[in-house]
Amino acid sequence: MTIIIGFVVTIGCLLGGFVAMGGHVMVIWQPWEYVIICGSALGTFLVANPLSTIKDTGAGMVEAFKHTAPKERDFLDVLIVLYTMMKLIKTKPKNEVEPHIEAPHESELFAPYPKLLANTNLVTFICDYCRLILIGNARTHEIEALMDEEIETLAHEKLKPYHAMVSVSEALPALGIVAAVLGVIKAMGALDQSPELLGHLIGSALVGTFAGVFFSYAVVGPIATNIKIVREKQLRLYTLVKQSLLAFMNGAVPQIAVEHGRKTISTHYRPTIDVVEQETVAGGVVPAKAAA
C-alpha cells in the first residue's frame, strides 16, 4: 500500500509542478519513447538473469507491494515451535522426537501453525538443526559456523532479485539517453520543416532522457529497495532460530533459549517477554502422542 501511495504522490507532484510551471502534459506523453526505454530495460533484464531469478523477481515484487514481511504473530509462532521442540528434545526419548523432525507436515507440533509450515525453507532449517542436536555429537561452534554459512547462502539467493533490479535501475538513465539520441536523429531529418515542428520533435526526444532518469530513481530503484527490505526481514526468522538453538545447545533451558531468539527481533515487531512466556507456556504444549 505504501508503494502505491508513494507513486501517487510522486506522479501527482511531478505532473502538478509541471503544469503549474506552464507546461503541457501531452508533451510528456511520448509512448514510443517509453516503449524504447522500457522494452530495452526488460530485454537487458532477461539477458542478464536466469529464469529462476526472473521468476523470483516477480515474486519479490509481489511481496514488496504486499509487504509480506513477518509480523509479531509470525515470530511468536516460531518461538512457540522452538520452545516445544527443545522441550521435547530435553525431556523425551529420541524415538518420540524424531517423527516431528522427519515429517513436520504430519506433526502435531507444527499443525497449529499453517503459515509457518508454508515456509518450507524455514521448517527445513529448524528440523535439520534439531536433528543434529538430537544426534548429540554436534559441537556448538561447528553448528554456529554451519548456520552462518547457510544463512549467508539463503541471503545471497533471496537478494538476487534486488541486485537484478538495481542493475536495471542503473541502466535506465543510459537507455533514456539512447531513446533521446534516436529522437534527435529523427529531428535532424526534419531540419527543413517549420520551427514549430522541429521544436516539437526535439522536445519529444528530450522526454527520453527524462523518462530514463524518472524510471530509474522514482520507480525501479525504490521497488528494488523495498524488495531488499522485505527479504531481509524474512531472514530475521532464521537468525531467531539460530540464536535460540545455540543457546539451548549451550545449556540454556527452553524458556531462556527462546529469549535469546526474541532479542534478535526488530523492536517494532518484538513481543514482550511476558507475551512470549504466556504464549510458549500456553501454546508450547507437548503433543499428546509424545506426552503419552
Side-chain angles (χ1 to χ4, degrees):
M1 181 60 71
T2 56
I3 293 179
I4 296 175
I5 294 173
F7 282 157
V8 170
V9 171
T10 300
I11 295 173
C13 291
L14 186 148
L15 296 179
F18 183 66
V19 171
M21 290 190 301
H24 300 284
V25 175
M26 290 309 297
V27 174
I28 301 177
W29 179 243
Q30 302 295 333
W32 292 115
E33 293 279 337
Y34 300 135
V35 169
I36 292 171
I37 297 167
C38 296
S40 299
L42 177 60
T44 55
F45 172 75
L46 295 175
V47 169
N49 297 284
L51 184 60
S52 59
T53 301
I54 294 170
K55 290 180 178 179
D56 196 29
T57 301
M61 291 178 66
V62 172
E63 292 173 4
F65 274 90
K66 293 183 177 181
H67 198 73
T68 55
K71 306 295 190 297
E72 181 177 334
R73 182 68 259 168
D74 302 310
F75 288 113
L76 277 170
D77 288 350
V78 175
L79 289 171
I80 293 170
V81 167
L82 288 173
Y83 171 83
T84 309
M85 185 69 78
M86 291 185 289
K87 189 174 179 182
L88 285 174
I89 293 172
K90 192 176 182 67
T91 60
K92 299 298 176 182
K94 188 180 298 186
N95 64 327
E96 293 186 14
V97 182
E98 284 177 342
H100 302 289
I101 296 173
E102 299 297 334
H105 287 82
E106 301 173 7
S107 167
E108 297 177 13
L109 190 158
F110 288 93
Y113 313 104
K115 191 172 180 180
L116 171 58
L117 270 177
N119 192 340
T120 306
N121 289 335
L122 181 60
V123 171
T124 301
F125 186 84
I126 293 171
C127 292
D128 283 351
Y129 290 102
C130 285
R131 184 182 293 108
L132 290 176
I133 294 172
L134 196 61
I135 292 172
N137 295 325
R139 299 177 181 177
T140 306
H141 68 277
E142 293 175 346
I143 296 298
E144 182 175 8
L146 188 59
M147 284 180 168
D148 288 338
E149 187 68 28
E150 183 169 357
I151 291 173
E152 184 179 344
T153 302
L154 286 167
H156 176 74
E157 291 292 325
K158 279 188 166 289
L159 293 181
K160 279 184 178 180
Y162 163 73
H163 294 297
M165 293 283 284
V166 167
S167 296
V168 173
S169 176
E170 292 174 346
L172 275 167
L175 293 174
I177 294 174
V178 170
V181 169
L182 291 174
V184 170
I185 292 172
K186 178 184 176 183
M188 290 300 99
L191 286 176
D192 58 339
Q193 301 296 318
S194 65
E196 290 80 7
L197 178 60
L198 191 59
H200 175 75
L201 291 174
I202 294 174
S204 299
L206 292 175
V207 168
T209 303
F210 151 75
V213 174
F214 176 78
F215 286 137
S216 173
Y217 295 106
V219 179
V220 179
I223 292 176
T225 300
N226 215 303
I227 290 174
K228 181 181 181 182
I229 290 171
V230 171
R231 290 288 174 91
E232 286 181 340
K233 286 181 178 180
Q234 292 172 354
L235 287 169
R236 296 308 301 173
L237 291 167
Y238 293 87
T239 305
L240 181 157
V241 173
K242 168 193 164 184
Q243 294 300 333
S244 297
L245 292 181
L246 288 177
F248 180 67
M249 290 183 70
N250 283 322
V253 297
Q255 193 66 51
I256 300 300
V258 295
E259 176 62 14
H260 282 250
R262 185 186 76 88
K263 287 296 186 179
T264 67
I265 304 172
S266 167
T267 54
H268 188 68
Y269 296 111
R270 184 190 299 167
T272 65
I273 188 171
D274 292 331
V275 169
V276 173
E277 184 176 356
Q278 181 180 357
E279 290 275 350
T280 51
V281 171
V285 179
V286 178
K289 289 182 180 179

